[in-house]
Amino acid sequence: MSKILVTGATGQLGTAVINHLLKHTAASNIWALVRNEAKAADLKEKGVNIVLGNYDDFNSLVAAFEGIDKVYMVSGDDIVARVKQQESLVKAAEAAGVKVLLYTSFQRKNETDSSPIAAVAKGHLNTEKLLKESGLLYTILQHNLYADIIPMFAGKQVLETKTIFLPAGDGKTSFAVRTDFAEAGANVLLDETGKYERKVLALSGSEAISFTEIAQIISSVTGTEISYHAPTVAEFTAALTAAGVPAEVIGIVSAFSAAIAEGEVDAVSTDLAEILGRKPVTVAEYLKTVYGKG
């Protein structure tokens, strides 16, 4: 059985990948790359091998990857630094003799600087290019947006305000839940046939949905009439600034909202369903777990 290492192992995605792997292979076949061993106590209790390393320390990555067959590379959360960090990780994997590397990238249409999420895209695009030019057997997992972010986009007080206030226009998104992305990644890691090698997989939900439809679903689930209002980015920024929301948060939400409005993330692919062997969890099913009354 292949020796598998998961980076970002104490984060939500990395942990979910490991938990799914544990259903199908022994913990002794799984390594978790962490920066803080104390945060990996739960994984250690399950028998997962814990190794220390971080994206800013090339030598720590090479040491962590020694003897590893497959690496699941969770993209870094520092949008600026991850360009160099992920380049270092790819080179470390090559130096250590890793055979297969899976990378969590993102779905998109516009790869130019005119994209509202060009700053976010830079690290992903660079890493995809590096992988294709490397000697690694790569699989690029292009995730669409997580359905798990919908409650944040809708607002914590959406049932009080009864309004989703977001500059996403009439755009649609092919959301899927984080756990489905994690299960798909684990399934690819567990495959020993090589059918996913040197492949780019577009992972999305089975339908594209707008925030008008999301408001309708929340209304149905809660019995509270929720409406959707799409302000301009300027109006959105002014309103949230006045409410004391940090500028960084406003900027990220505005950028992804603008991308949604421009149709950047509305493509529907069957790749996720095929890897899972079932239909992905729908937005309606997910929102029932969030807003349902039990």
Side-chain angles (χ1 to χ4, degrees):
M1 182 65 196
S2 293
K3 294 179 179 179
I4 299 170
L5 180 144
V6 177
T7 77
T10 58
Q12 290 178 299
L13 179 61
T15 297
V17 170
I18 290 175
N19 285 337
H20 192 73
L21 287 172
L22 286 169
K23 297 176 183 178
H24 301 279
T25 189
S28 58
N29 294 324
I30 306 170
W31 276 255
L33 181 72
V34 302
R35 288 176 293 183
N36 185 336
E37 190 170 359
K39 292 183 179 180
D42 289 348
L43 295 174
K44 194 171 184 178
E45 286 180 8
K46 295 175 181 178
V48 174
N49 302 286
I50 308 300
V51 288
L52 294 176
N54 69 75
Y55 287 14
D56 291 308
D57 185 342
F58 177 80
N59 290 331
S60 76
L61 294 174
V62 174
F65 293 161
E66 287 292 340
I68 296 297
D69 300 305
K70 299 180 179 181
V71 170
Y72 182 90
M73 178 184 175
V74 176
S75 58
D77 55 11
D78 187 324
I79 292 174
V80 175
R82 70 182 178 192
V83 174
K84 290 185 178 179
Q85 288 175 335
Q86 293 177 178
E87 181 174 350
S88 179
L89 192 148
V90 171
K91 290 181 178 178
E94 288 187 285
V98 170
K99 298 180 181 68
V100 177
L101 191 148
L102 276 65
Y103 173 61
T104 60
S105 190
F106 80 125
Q107 279 189 263
R108 73 279 180 174
K109 295 178 183 176
N110 183 357
E111 296 186 350
T112 73
D113 289 341
S114 66
S115 168
I117 51 175
V120 176
K122 186 175 181 180
H124 290 305
L125 297 176
N126 185 64
T127 303
E128 287 192 17
K129 181 175 183 291
L130 287 171
L131 285 171
K132 291 175 181 178
E133 294 173 349
S134 75
L136 297 164
L137 297 173
Y138 63 84
T139 304
I140 296 169
L141 306 172
Q142 294 183 341
H143 291 182
N144 207 301
L145 298 188
Y146 294 3
D148 310 61
I149 68 172
I150 293 174
M152 181 187 75
F153 277 22
K156 293 182 178 179
Q157 284 79 44
V158 67
L159 299 184
E160 287 73 40
T161 64
K162 300 180 181 179
T163 302
I164 296 176
F165 185 74
L166 197 70
D170 296 321
K172 295 189 175 187
T173 306
S174 304
F175 289 108
V177 296
R178 181 186 287 109
T179 51
D180 276 354
F181 286 128
E183 182 177 334
N187 288 349
V188 173
L189 287 167
L190 292 164
D191 178 76
E192 298 290 357
T193 69
K195 66 181 179 180
Y196 298 114
E197 293 172 0
R198 294 195 175 93
K199 294 288 181 64
V200 178
L201 303 173
L203 305 186
S204 73
S206 56
E207 62 180 346
I209 190 169
S210 69
F211 274 92
T212 295
E213 293 168 294
I214 287 170
Q216 292 169 349
I217 292 169
I218 298 175
S219 299
S220 176
V221 170
T222 63
T224 300
E225 190 64 30
I226 307 296
S227 62
Y228 168 57
H229 176 63
T232 65
V233 170
E235 291 169 338
F236 179 76
T237 300
L240 268 66
T241 299
V245 178
E248 182 179 1
V249 174
I250 297 172
I252 288 291
V253 175
S254 295
F256 275 100
S257 296
I260 291 170
E262 292 182 11
E264 277 291 290
V265 287
D266 63 4
V268 175
S269 166
T270 60
D271 287 354
L272 181 58
E274 290 171 1
I275 297 169
L276 293 174
R278 60 171 171 81
K279 184 179 179 182
V281 173
T282 67
V283 169
E285 290 167 340
Y286 169 71
L287 292 178
K288 286 177 184 176
T289 70
V290 176
Y291 297 105
K293 298 179 182 180

